[in-house]
């Protein structure tokens, strides 16, 4: 056994972020109060950027197994890690002043955010059930703590509590499923599981139980109906900067574990899980869109919107071929970028003692702050899937995949609910552009740091689908998935 | 030569676009110079083409493929033969005369440049129509001239009556165009091609094909196609019962009445049927319908002209009646004679309209003949040219109209199409009525006591040279066109193979001299002279005789004044009925079913559903966990079940 056999460089980004997270914790203690915020924050963002550079430098066009089968590096993990690092960094920049005003921008916040990022990246790299579970738990535990960090807020505490209890239940289910899988196949490595599972008949009962438990565990993390109950409470209860963090990058990580576990390792059971996912996906799309209409709270509305978007994401997965998987990957990336932008807008609009989380707060925003209103308009149109925004292309590719898989009857109700969904997205536009402003609404987007506003503008421009990046990303997703498939 | 063909319509288009877009900036002088230059160039080139065609040259080909769909090519193409060459010369000549005349007529109009742009564009559209070698381009030209007609009737759009008239013209033409479009669709369906040559070549093979209609009745495809195409022709050429728009179109400026509503556009239907003669020849049913519709139009419209007092309306009803003559000729399979009459009519009717316009400007837009009279001394040029036009219209030898009208009457006499006997009686009687109303106009306007208003009495004088020169130039062909063209037409040399030849009628081979000699022993000429005599008695010798007759036959007079009640009928049934139907559909279909039930109903339902489902989110952790467990159990039992 030699050190070089470990192929340790496959997890360089994870190592960088983990070490820096520990360092930031210690530096935070040693630093004077005033310098903490700037230096700590700067270090955190540079760490994420450094990790992103490390991903790009160490990118692997092939398929490398590292740490004796515990981790894997391929195109999918590279793209996912790059996305996670960049999106997390941007989310932190957006949330900086918000977090600072609520006196949350301390070493713990930054370290937890970084550790959570490590968790996501480990999930992405996992080639082994244990690695996968460790990544998932590391991320979840950080998130519980991040939500609860706002100790004075009853809502935040309640949200953290609920999330923790339900998350524990889901983790238990997932862990139980893994133990069953291990018992049935005798291996924890994903490739080995696939090999072994293809020997089973499709109606083998223990294997089916294991599969269903895996699905339930994964669907909980995704927030699909009926395992979605935590989503609205957590989105609404968390500090908005944390919501921005948990609503964006984790969707990419979730895609990768679902791809590796369900779509690759358990692909021989496609017939079984496809039907279940169809039911769950349609329920999520219908339920999410319906309930979102009744919300008056912006963050809750976006939570239900996310539930419905996860339904669309599942449509890509359940198509069960490389077209579907790459559509789902594209959907996850685009949804992460759009969510980032939406919460970025809310963060820029909110201020000290003003959460900007009620729909009524947005009345007449176009008159008081046209820049922000226009960006919000772009994000809302993208969420609704209106061309030429990227949201349209994401939905289009998913629908193409579903129809290509011969599931036209699934695509039709999904498309109808897009129309229902358009209502509440356009309501925000209507409030901003056609209603009179409420006098007391403070306008502070111009008070936010310049770099943050510039980033948000770039984020908004990315949403216009005629930008070339969408083609680049779609191509990259397609190639990455094709590589995994072979 | 292809470049020349392309140049003829495009030069008009270019002028129209240039003047239309930059008219304000170019100014009035440049605007009329550019368009007149373009149309003059088109005319010269058309004459060149006509000479080439007379020398035996023929062209049929596409210049541009617009689209290919399901193996069918949609092309821009030209078919240049004797028929299109004659039409091109007529169209560009009349258009040129009207362009020049417009300088005088529209002199004080604020829409001066817009007007020139429109008439140039019209010339382009009309040329595309007559030069086409396929049905698609024919339809394009057909619709484009219709659009320009609409725009020009409503040229004085601040007048309510002009708007009404333009809308009426447009809507009535919709009816005809629907038939035309269906006819083209049927051609595409049966023949699988839109190319004239291909369709005509395979027409005999499809002659006996039938389709099954309602109650199992069998319909010959060709009859259906011809009838549908003729519906289009009825709309454009204003045949009964789609004639109602043409009299109202006189709301447009007079040059337009001359160009569009007398000489060119309204004859597009006649041209189209002549062009389709290989198809019509195969369906006797269709020919019979054409013949009877034409005959009814001829006499009924001529009778209305007797009671009109508006100078332009008399000429308009005369146009309708003459279009009926052409349609009768088509129905009698005498296509070349129909086109012959079309050409002579284009000259003398444009002349009459422009002469009427000359009177109208001299009298400061007075159009009522009862306030005219004795103008021949004040306006000698207008009087003489109008007299020439009228003599041509009435059919006095050797003026142009005599030859073409007499040829039609002879052709109908020899025709075997069912209904030809009726048509013969009608066209012969029509000669008398035509003479009567034409000379009524001449006598009321130019002779008798002066009934001018005080103001006009002082100022009325001859129009400027831009008005009189076109009159004189149009008077020349009104005199000569018949004499020159009748021989070649009847011998078949003029049109060659471009329309179906008039075999078996026994009149091919007649020459101008034969007709001139024969006229004095035939009925029509004496009827015409009788008509003139009666007009002289009624309107000059004993001026009160007319009103006494009107009183005696009050019912008949009233029917004619009310134009047989067709306008009222259409307004009641179609306009009011259409509005009522629309209102009902709006109330029940749109508002009740679509708006209230489907759109707002679904929205309300979704909203209510959303409220219900929302209450599932109780906020209790154990409910949340319970939902997860239920989901788990549901998935498990699903697997066990299936």
């Amino acid at each position: 056994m030699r050190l070089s056999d470990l192929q340790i460089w496959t997890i360089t980004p994870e190592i960088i972020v983990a070490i820096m997270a520990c360092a930031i914790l210690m530096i935070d203690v040693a630093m004077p109060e005033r310098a903490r915020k700037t230096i700590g924050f700067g270090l955190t963002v540079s760490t994420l950027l450094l990790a992103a550079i490390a991903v790009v430098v160490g990118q692997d066009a092939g398929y490398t197994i590292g740490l004796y089968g515990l981790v894997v590096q391929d195109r999918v993990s590279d793209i996912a890690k790059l996305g996670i690092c960049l999106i997390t960094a941007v989310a932190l920049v957006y949330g900086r002043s918000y977090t600072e005003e609520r006196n949350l921008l301390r070493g713990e916040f930054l370290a937890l955010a970084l550790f959570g990022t490590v968790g996501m990246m480990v999930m992405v790299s996992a080639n082994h059930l244990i690695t996968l579970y460790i990544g998932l738990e590391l991320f979840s535990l950080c998130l519980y703590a991040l939500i609860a960090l706002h100790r004075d807020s009853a809502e935040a505490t309640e949200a953290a509590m609920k999330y923790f209890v339900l998350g524990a239940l889901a983790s238990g289910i997932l862990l139980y499923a893994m133990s069953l899988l291990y018992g049935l196949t005798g291996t924890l490595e994903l490739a080995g599981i696939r090999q072994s599972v293809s020997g089973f008949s499709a109606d083998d009962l223990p294997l089916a139980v294991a599969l269903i438990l895996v699905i339930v565990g994964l669907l909980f993390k995704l927030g699909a109906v009926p395992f979605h109950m935590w989503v609205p409470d957590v989105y609404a209860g968390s500090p908005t900067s944390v919501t921005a963090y948990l609503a964006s990058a984790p969707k990419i990580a979730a895609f990768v574990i679902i791809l590796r576990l369900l779509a690759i390792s358990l692909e021989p059971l496609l017939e079984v899980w496809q039907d279940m996912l169809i039911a769950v996906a349609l329920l999520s799309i219908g339920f999410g869109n319906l309930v979102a209409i009744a919300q008056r709270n912006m963050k809750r509305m976006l939570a239900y919107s996310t539930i419905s978007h996860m339904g669309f994401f599942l449509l890509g997965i359940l198509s069960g071929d490389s077209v579907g998987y790459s559509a789902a990957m594209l959907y996850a990336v685009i949804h992460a970028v759009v969510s980032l932008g939406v919460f970025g807008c809310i963060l820029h609009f909110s201020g000290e003692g003003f959460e900007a989380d009620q729909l009524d707060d947005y009345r007449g925003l176009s008159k008081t702050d046209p820049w922000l209103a226009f960006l919000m308009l772009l994000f809302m149109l993208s969420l609704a899937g209106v061309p030429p925004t990227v949201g349209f292309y994401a939905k289009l590719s998913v629908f193409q995949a579903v129809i290509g898989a011969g599931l036209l009857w699934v695509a039709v109700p999904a498309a109808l609910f897009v129309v229902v969904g358009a209502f509440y997205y356009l309501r925000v536009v209507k409030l901003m552009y056609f209603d009179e402003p409420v006098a007391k609404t403070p306008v502070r987007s111009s008070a936010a740091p310049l770099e943050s506003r510039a980033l948000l503008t770039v984020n908004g421009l990315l949403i216009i689908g005629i930008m070339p990046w969408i083609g680049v990303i779609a191509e990259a997703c397609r190639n990455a998935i094709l590589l995994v498939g072979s | 030569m292809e470049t020349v063909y392309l140049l003829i319509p495009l030069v008009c288009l270019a002028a129209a676009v240039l003047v239309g877009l930059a008219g304000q900036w170019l100014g009035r002088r440049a605007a009329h110079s550019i368009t007149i230059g373009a149309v003059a160039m088109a005319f010269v080139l058309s004459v060149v083409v006509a000479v080439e065609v007379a020398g035996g040259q023929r062209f049929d080909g596409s210049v541009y493929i617009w689209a290919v769909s399901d193996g069918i090519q949609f092309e821009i193409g030209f078919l240049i033969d004797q028929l299109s060459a004659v039409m091109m010369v007529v169209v560009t000549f009349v258009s040129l005369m009207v362009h020049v005349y417009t300088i005088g007529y529209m002199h004080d109009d604020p829409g001066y440049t817009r007007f020139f742009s429109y008439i140039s564009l019209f010339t382009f559209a009309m040329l595309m129509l007559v030069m086409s070698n396929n049905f698609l381009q024919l339809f394009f030209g057909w619709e484009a001239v219709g659009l320009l007609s609409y725009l020009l009737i409503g040229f004085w759009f601040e007048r309510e009556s002009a708007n009404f008239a333009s809308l009426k013209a447009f809507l009535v033409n919709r009816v005809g165009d629907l038939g035309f479009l269906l006819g083209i669709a049927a051609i595409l369906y049966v023949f699988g091609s839109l190319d004239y040559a291909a369709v005509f070549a395979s027409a005999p093979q499809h002659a006996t094909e039938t389709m099954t209609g309602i109650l199992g009745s069998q319909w010959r495809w060709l009859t259906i196609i011809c009838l549908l195409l003729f519906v289009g022709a009825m709309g454009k050429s204003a045949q009964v019962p789609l004639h109602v728009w043409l009299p109202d179109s006189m709301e447009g400026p007079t040059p337009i009445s001359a160009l569009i509503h007398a000489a060119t556009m309204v004859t597009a239907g006649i041209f189209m049927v002549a062009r389709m003669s290989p198809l019509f020849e195969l369906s006797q049913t269709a020919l019979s319908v054409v013949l009877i519709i034409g005959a009814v139009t001829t006499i009924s419209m001529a009778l209305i002209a007797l009671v009109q007092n508006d100078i332009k309306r008399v000429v308009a009803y005369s146009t309708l009646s003459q279009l009926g003559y052409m349609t009768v000729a088509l129905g009698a399979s005498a296509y070349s004679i129909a086109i012959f009459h079309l050409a002579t009519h284009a000259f003398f009717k444009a002349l009459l309209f422009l002469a009427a316009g000359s009177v109208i400007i001299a009298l400061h837009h007075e159009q009522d003949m009862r306030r005219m009279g004795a103008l021949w001394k004040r306006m000698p040029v207008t009087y003489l040219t109008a007299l020439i036009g009228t003599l041509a219209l009435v059919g006095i030898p050797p003026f142009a109209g005599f030859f073409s009208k007499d040829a039609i009457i002879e052709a109908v006499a020899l025709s075997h199409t069912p209904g030809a006997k009726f048509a013969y009686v009608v066209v012969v009687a029509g000669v008398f009525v035509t003479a009567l109303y034409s000379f009524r106009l001449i006598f009321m306007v130019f002779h008798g006591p002066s009934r001018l208003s005080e103001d006009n009495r002082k100022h009325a004088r001859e129009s400027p040279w831009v008005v009189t020169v076109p009159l004189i130039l149009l008077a020349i062909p009104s005199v000569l066109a018949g004499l020159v063209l009748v021989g070649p037409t009847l011998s078949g040399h003029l049109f060659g193979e471009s329309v179906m030849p008039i075999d078996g009628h026994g009149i091919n081979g007649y020459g101008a001299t034969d007709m001139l000699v024969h006229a004095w022993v035939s009925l029509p000429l004496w009827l015409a002279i009788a008509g003139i005599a009666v007009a002289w008695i009624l309107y000059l010798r004993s001026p009160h005789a007319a009103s006494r007759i009107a009183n005696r036959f009050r019912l008949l007079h009233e029917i004619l004044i009310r134009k047989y009640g067709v306008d009222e009928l259409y307004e009641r049934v179609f306009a009011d009925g259409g509005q009522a139907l629309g209102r009902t559909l709006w109330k029940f279909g749109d508002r009740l079913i679509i708006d209230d039930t489907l759109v707002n109903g679904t929205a309300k339902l979704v909203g209510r559903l959303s409220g219900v489902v929302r209450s599932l989110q109780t906020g209790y952790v154990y409910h949340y966990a319970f939902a997860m467990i239920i989901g788990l159990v549901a998935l498990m039992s699903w697997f066990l079940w299936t």
Side-chain angles (χ1 to χ4, degrees):
Chain A
M1 188 193 219
R2 284 177 314 184
L3 195 62
S4 61
D5 291 342
L6 269 179
Q7 314 264 38
I8 194 84
W9 65 84
T10 50
I11 53 165
T12 327
E14 283 95 325
I15 293 173
I16 292 173
V17 178
I19 290 176
M20 286 305 289
C22 299
I24 285 168
L25 264 185
M26 287 194 279
I27 291 169
D28 187 59
V29 178
M31 286 266 244
E33 180 73 28
R34 283 191 64 88
R36 261 188 209 164
K37 285 170 190 162
T38 0
I39 291 184
F41 185 82
L43 272 178
T44 308
V45 172
S46 3
T47 303
L48 288 168
L49 293 182
L50 188 64
I53 291 167
V55 174
V56 174
V57 170
Q59 62 176 311
D60 189 349
Y63 185 80
T64 316
I65 305 285
L67 302 185
Y68 298 105
L70 282 182
V71 295
V72 62
Q73 188 191 10
D74 58 7
R75 277 259 168 235
V76 173
S77 71
D78 282 346
I79 293 173
K81 279 185 207 172
L82 185 64
I84 288 168
C85 291
L86 291 179
I87 288 172
T88 308
V90 174
L92 289 176
V93 173
Y94 286 166
R96 184 178 175 187
S97 47
Y98 177 94
T99 324
E100 220 173 302
E101 277 156 9
R102 280 153 192 75
N103 200 22
L104 299 173
L105 195 65
R106 292 181 302 241
E108 305 92 282
F109 179 85
L110 297 170
L112 282 170
L114 285 183
F115 278 123
T117 310
V118 174
M120 285 190 265
M121 289 201 284
V122 170
M123 273 151 69
V124 164
S125 303
N127 186 40
H128 196 273
L129 289 182
I130 297 295
T131 328
L132 197 155
Y133 188 75
I134 286 177
L136 197 57
E137 283 306 288
L138 178 57
F139 167 68
S140 298
L141 284 169
C142 292
L143 209 52
Y144 304 147
L146 274 174
I147 297 167
L149 209 58
H150 199 8
R151 277 172 310 196
D152 305 333
S153 160
E155 279 174 5
T157 322
E158 186 192 327
M161 202 56 213
K162 281 178 178 167
Y163 191 23
F164 177 66
V165 172
L166 297 174
L169 179 61
S171 293
I173 291 173
L174 191 59
L175 201 55
Y176 183 46
M178 288 176 176
S179 71
L180 277 177
L181 273 183
Y182 180 57
L184 289 166
T185 60
T187 174
L188 284 167
E189 242 180 278
L190 294 180
I193 292 173
R194 183 194 166 100
Q195 242 169 17
S196 172
V197 163
S198 46
F200 283 82
S201 73
D203 53 354
D204 185 90
L205 188 59
L207 186 61
V209 170
L211 172 71
I212 291 168
L213 293 174
V214 165
I215 291 175
V216 170
L218 292 177
L219 291 182
F220 173 84
K221 295 295 170 198
L222 213 56
V225 177
F227 315 102
H228 66 287
M229 295 294 211
W230 61 273
V231 179
D233 288 358
V234 167
Y235 270 53
S238 313
T240 311
S241 53
V242 177
T243 315
Y245 171 80
L246 77 88
S248 48
K251 306 300 176 208
I252 299 175
F255 163 75
V256 180
I257 56 170
I258 289 177
L259 175 79
R260 295 221 196 278
L261 203 51
L262 208 54
I264 294 175
S265 298
L266 296 174
E267 204 195 6
L269 300 175
L270 175 71
E271 267 177 57
V272 183
W273 57 256
Q274 189 179 44
D275 285 352
M276 295 180 183
L277 286 196
I278 289 174
V280 171
L282 287 183
L283 270 178
S284 303
I285 294 170
F287 191 87
N289 279 323
L290 271 183
V291 183
I293 291 176
Q295 303 305 321
R296 301 305 301 173
N297 180 308
M298 186 79 177
K299 280 156 80 182
R300 275 190 99 80
M301 188 195 91
L302 287 170
Y304 283 106
S305 138
T306 304
I307 293 171
S308 76
H309 280 283
M310 288 306 108
F312 280 106
F313 164 78
L314 284 176
L315 286 185
I317 296 281
L318 64 83
S319 301
D321 52 16
S322 61
V323 180
Y325 302 146
S326 53
M329 186 168 181
L330 183 67
Y331 204 96
V333 172
I334 286 176
H335 185 256
V337 173
V338 177
S339 296
L340 184 69
V342 175
F343 285 103
C345 285
I346 301 178
L347 285 169
H348 280 79
F349 189 30
S350 60
E352 212 160 348
F354 176 60
E355 286 289 334
D357 62 350
Q358 295 302 312
L359 283 181
D360 287 339
D361 295 338
Y362 290 84
R363 279 184 200 280
L365 186 64
S366 67
K367 296 184 186 74
T368 53
D369 192 344
W371 170 76
L372 196 64
F374 179 68
L375 290 177
M376 197 66 166
L377 166 82
L378 283 180
F379 294 126
M380 285 297 149
L381 291 183
S382 178
L383 284 174
V386 176
T389 59
V390 289
F392 167 72
Y393 292 105
K395 283 205 170 63
L396 182 70
S397 58
V398 164
F399 278 125
Q400 271 175 342
V402 174
I403 293 169
L407 296 170
L408 184 64
W409 67 272
V410 180
V412 170
L416 287 180
F417 272 107
V418 175
V419 179
V420 175
F423 169 76
Y424 58 87
Y425 296 124
L426 292 181
R427 181 169 60 191
V428 176
V429 176
K430 180 237 171 202
L431 287 174
M432 292 191 305
Y433 278 87
F434 297 101
D435 283 11
E436 285 308 309
V438 184
K440 63 183 166 62
T441 310
V443 181
R444 38 170 319 285
S445 69
S446 50
L450 183 65
E451 72 275 9
S452 177
R453 282 185 289 150
L455 268 179
L456 192 61
T457 310
V458 172
N459 198 343
L461 290 178
L462 285 178
I463 298 308
I464 300 169
I466 46 177
M467 299 287 170
W469 77 281
I470 178 81
V472 173
I473 298 272
E475 191 64 30
C477 292
R478 203 170 306 128
N479 291 337
I481 295 294
L482 284 177
L483 207 73
V484 172
S486 61
Chain B
M1 272 320 260
E2 234 174 284
T3 334
V4 175
Y5 302 149
L6 205 54
L7 205 58
I8 292 172
L10 285 187
V11 70
C12 298
L13 176 67
V17 171
L18 184 64
V19 172
L21 295 181
Q24 295 297 328
W25 185 70
L26 286 168
R28 297 155 77 98
R29 216 188 151 73
H32 71 234
S33 312
I34 290 170
T35 48
I36 289 173
V39 175
M41 183 173 168
F43 170 62
V44 170
L45 291 176
S46 297
V47 171
V48 171
V49 168
V51 170
E52 295 269 337
V53 169
Q57 201 177 47
R58 214 170 159 283
F59 176 81
D60 180 6
S62 76
V63 289
Y64 173 65
I65 296 176
W66 175 46
V68 180
S69 170
D70 198 20
I72 299 161
Q73 290 196 347
F74 300 108
E75 307 170 330
I76 304 298
F78 294 134
L79 170 58
I80 307 295
D81 58 5
Q82 294 93 329
L83 178 58
S84 37
V86 167
M87 290 301 289
M88 282 157 66
V89 172
V90 170
V91 168
T92 48
F93 178 65
V94 178
S95 176
L96 181 61
M97 292 303 108
V98 167
H99 270 78
V100 175
Y101 179 88
T102 301
I103 301 175
Y105 191 84
M106 301 295 281
H107 191 263
D108 308 318
D109 201 278
Y112 193 76
T113 52
R114 181 164 58 103
F115 191 84
F116 274 101
S117 169
Y118 281 173
I119 49 176
S120 247
L121 196 58
F122 169 80
T123 313
F124 157 74
M126 193 67 203
L127 285 168
M128 289 300 277
L129 192 159
V130 298
M131 292 169 77
S132 164
N133 78 337
N134 62 74
F135 287 92
L136 183 78
Q137 189 183 331
L138 176 71
F139 187 70
F140 164 77
W142 193 267
E143 290 299 307
V145 293
L147 169 71
L148 265 309
S149 158
Y150 164 77
L151 290 174
L152 284 163
I153 296 171
F155 185 78
W156 286 316
F157 52 80
E158 58 286 338
R159 279 193 207 163
E160 177 115 21
S161 56
N163 282 330
F164 178 81
S166 62
L167 210 57
K168 187 172 178 181
F170 200 76
L171 289 176
V172 174
N173 268 297
R174 286 298 83 199
V175 179
D177 291 351
L178 178 66
F180 189 49
L181 195 57
L182 286 175
I184 292 176
I187 284 171
L188 190 57
Y189 175 73
V190 175
F191 296 97
S193 170
L194 286 175
D195 196 65
Y196 289 165
V199 170
F200 295 159
S202 59
Q205 297 156 29
H206 295 280
T208 52
E209 276 178 27
T210 59
M211 67 168 278
T212 310
I214 43 168
L215 302 173
S217 52
Q218 294 291 311
W219 295 81
R220 277 180 61 219
W221 265 116
L222 263 168
T223 302
I224 292 173
I225 289 172
C226 289
L227 286 178
L228 286 171
L229 291 177
F230 184 60
V231 170
M234 281 160 69
K236 194 83 20 192
S237 291
Q239 298 295 300
V240 172
L242 297 181
H243 64 284
V244 289
W245 64 272
L246 188 56
D248 285 12
S249 74
M250 296 302 129
E251 286 297 331
T254 305
I256 288 322
S257 310
L259 176 62
I260 300 187
H261 304 118
T264 56
M265 185 195 79
V266 288
T267 57
I270 310 297
F271 162 78
M272 188 266 285
V273 175
R275 183 52 102 194
M276 301 307 139
S277 52
L279 299 181
F280 278 84
E281 247 345 78
L282 295 168
S283 169
Q284 202 174 42
T285 319
L287 283 177
S288 185
V289 170
V290 172
L291 187 68
I292 289 169
I293 295 270
V296 171
T297 309
T298 303
I299 193 70
S300 59
M301 294 303 121
L303 286 172
I304 295 181
L306 285 176
V307 300
Q308 294 296 322
N309 288 319
D310 183 315
I311 182 169
K312 276 181 76 181
R313 283 188 183 253
V314 174
V315 188
Y317 279 103
S318 152
T319 305
L320 280 164
S321 170
Q322 295 304 309
L323 287 167
Y325 271 102
M326 296 174 212
T327 311
V328 167
L330 296 172
S333 303
Y335 305 103
S336 52
I337 296 177
I339 298 297
F340 177 38
H341 192 53
L342 186 161
T344 58
H345 174 259
F347 297 131
F348 66 69
K349 192 49 68 63
L351 170 61
L352 277 176
F353 262 119
L354 296 187
S358 170
V359 170
I360 291 169
I361 24 178
L363 301 186
H364 299 97
H365 292 272
E366 175 61 70
Q367 302 198 1
D368 194 329
M369 295 196 296
R370 285 168 300 190
R371 285 196 282 274
M372 297 179 188
L375 283 174
W376 68 275
K377 268 183 274 180
R378 289 166 184 267
M379 309 177 71
V381 179
T382 307
Y383 169 64
L384 275 177
T385 49
L387 190 63
I388 289 171
T390 306
L391 289 171
L393 169 65
V394 171
I396 300 297
F399 296 99
F402 160 73
F403 294 101
S404 52
K405 193 182 285 182
D406 224 36
I408 290 175
I409 293 170
E410 283 301 308
V412 176
L414 296 165
S415 167
H416 301 294
T417 314
K421 291 256 157 28
F422 163 68
Y424 179 71
V425 173
V426 164
V427 292
V428 171
V431 173
F432 174 75
V433 185
T434 308
L436 186 55
Y437 69 67
S438 303
F439 273 88
R440 173 176 175 261
L441 184 147
I442 290 289
F443 293 150
M444 283 178 82
V445 174
F446 294 105
H447 296 274
S450 174
R451 296 176 297 273
L452 299 178
S453 65
E454 278 302 311
D455 201 28
N456 282 338
R457 216 180 279 270
K458 282 179 210 149
H459 299 295
R461 73 173 83 86
E462 186 60 272
S463 304
W465 69 270
V466 280
V467 172
T468 51
V469 166
L471 291 178
I472 296 163
L473 287 179
L474 278 166
I476 296 168
S478 298
V479 178
L480 295 178
L483 206 58
V484 174
L485 293 177
V486 66
T489 305
L490 295 183
S491 65
H493 289 316
L494 184 58
F495 293 105
E497 296 290 310
S498 63
V499 296
M500 289 297 276
I502 36 174
D503 291 336
H505 279 332
I507 52 169
N508 37 353
Y510 267 43
T513 339
D514 303 320
M515 288 188 76
L516 283 172
V517 172
H518 183 253
W520 299 100
V521 295
S522 70
L523 191 55
L525 179 59
W526 293 108
L527 279 175
I529 292 169
I532 298 170
V534 171
W536 179 71
I537 295 168
L538 289 182
Y539 296 98
L540 280 186
R541 232 190 105 224
S542 47
H544 300 290
S547 56
R548 274 208 299 279
I549 294 175
N551 279 336
R552 180 70 61 81
F553 302 97
R554 189 170 292 158
L555 181 67
L556 188 66
H557 187 248
E558 187 64 21
I559 289 174
L560 289 179
I561 290 280
R562 302 274 289 267
K563 304 158 207 158
Y564 312 110
V566 177
D567 277 313
E568 281 95 334
L569 180 78
Y570 286 178
E571 266 164 42
R572 294 273 157 73
V573 177
F574 295 112
D576 294 353
Q579 280 192 334
L581 182 68
R583 206 168 290 127
T584 315
L585 286 177
W586 167 62
K587 269 189 188 148
F588 291 97
D590 201 63
R591 234 176 34 184
L592 194 75
I593 297 178
I594 294 178
D595 277 5
D596 287 353
T597 311
L598 290 177
V599 177
N600 293 334
T602 347
K604 255 180 227 151
L605 184 74
V606 167
R608 216 168 288 157
L609 207 61
S610 153
V612 173
V613 182
R614 182 195 189 186
S615 59
L616 289 177
Q617 189 86 15
T618 54
Y620 296 118
V621 177
Y622 51 88
H623 283 167
Y624 292 8
F626 188 57
M628 284 174 67
I629 300 300
I630 287 184
L632 177 61
V633 172
L635 287 182
M636 289 271 187
S637 35
W638 183 355
F639 174 76
L640 289 177
W641 252 354
T642 52

